[in-house]
């Protein structure tokens, strides 16, 4: 009996993992939002957020999880965008250190600006969990649009992310850490 239950769990995990990997979200096109949120940590994320901001897909952008001491002019230089764009339209959040704290930092910023539709720009493999975390903190009054930056994660990265997604989903269902 235990062997059958264990086999069912393993089989369910495998099917879920396949569904997770084949349904990774891609870039979001032609959707405007009040704001763009970009958690640091993966290639192409900030580039994508800046491109969407410059294409007038949102009024303002938050880069969350920025390292201590990073200044707007440093990022303007690194990403070859005018400093004026950072001065008018980009905020840097330096309090977050992981996906959950990115969501908390973002939620405070969204509430402060009273935004209703937010575009979350992150790696395609990270987007399901990041979006789930942000939606859990923001509640139903803010729409979170996912904008996945295509990546080429290793199998281990996908397995790790899927396991984190599952564990966090269960924790949220049980009301743990919400």
């Amino acid at each position: 009996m235990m062997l059958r239950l264990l086999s069912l769990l393993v089989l369910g995990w495998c099917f879920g993992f396949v569904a997770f990997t084949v349904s990774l979200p891609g870039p979001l096109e032609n959707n405007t939002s009040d704001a763009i949120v970009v958690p640091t940590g993966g290639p192409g994320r900030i580039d994508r957020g800046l491109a969407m901001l410059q294409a007038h897909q949102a009024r303002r952008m938050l880069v969350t999880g920025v390292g201590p001491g990073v200044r707007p002019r440093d990022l303007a230089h690194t990403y070859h965008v005018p400093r004026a764009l950072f001065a008018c339209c980009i905020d840097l959040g330096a309090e977050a250190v992981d996906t959950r704290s990115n969501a908390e930092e973002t939620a405070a910023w969204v509430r402060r600006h009273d935004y209703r539709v937010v575009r979350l720009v992150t790696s395609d493999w990270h987007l399901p969990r990041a979006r789930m975390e942000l939606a859990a903190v923001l509640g139903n009054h803010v729409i979170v649009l996912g904008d996945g930056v295509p990546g080429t994660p290793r199998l281990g990265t996908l397995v790790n992310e899927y396991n984190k997604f599952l564990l966090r989903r269960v924790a949220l269902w049980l009301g743990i850490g919400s």
Side-chain angles (χ1 to χ4, degrees):
M1 180 68 171
M2 282 300 278
L3 185 59
R4 286 184 185 177
L5 181 60
L6 183 59
S7 296
L8 262 173
L9 285 173
V10 169
L11 194 58
W13 184 93
C14 289
F15 281 129
F17 179 70
V18 169
F20 177 80
T21 58
V22 299
S23 66
L24 293 177
L28 182 64
E29 301 298 336
N30 302 322
N31 283 4
T32 59
S33 59
D34 297 327
I36 299 168
V37 176
V38 182
T40 59
R45 295 176 183 187
I46 295 175
D47 296 296
R48 174 75 178 163
L50 289 169
M52 293 296 94
L53 188 62
Q54 291 174 314
H56 306 290
Q57 294 296 301
R59 297 182 302 238
R60 194 161 193 85
M61 183 168 103
L62 169 68
V63 182
T64 176
V66 174
V70 174
R71 299 169 300 189
R73 67 179 173 180
D74 300 330
L75 289 178
H77 176 73
T78 300
Y79 291 97
H80 309 290
V81 295
R83 283 189 194 179
L85 184 63
F86 275 84
C88 83
C89 307
I90 301 173
D91 297 313
L92 303 182
E95 299 298 318
V97 295
D98 60 13
T99 304
R100 284 181 66 190
S101 57
N102 281 328
E104 292 165 3
E105 183 172 63
T106 298
W109 181 79
V110 166
R111 288 183 189 115
R112 192 168 43 251
H113 293 284
D114 197 32
Y115 293 137
R116 296 290 173 230
V117 180
V118 176
R119 175 191 296 252
L120 175 62
V121 178
T122 190
S123 305
D124 55 0
W125 54 269
H126 181 248
L127 187 55
R129 184 167 61 95
R131 186 175 180 190
M132 177 180 63
E133 291 285 5
L134 184 55
V137 175
L138 288 172
N140 294 331
H141 65 280
V142 177
I143 297 169
V144 180
L145 304 173
D147 192 338
V149 176
T152 54
R154 296 169 52 184
L155 178 61
T157 301
L158 287 173
V159 168
N160 189 35
E161 186 64 23
Y162 178 63
N163 287 333
K164 287 179 183 179
F165 176 80
L166 287 179
L167 289 173
R168 193 63 187 127
R169 170 69 72 198
V170 169
L172 288 170
W173 280 338
L174 296 175
I176 300 170
S178 54

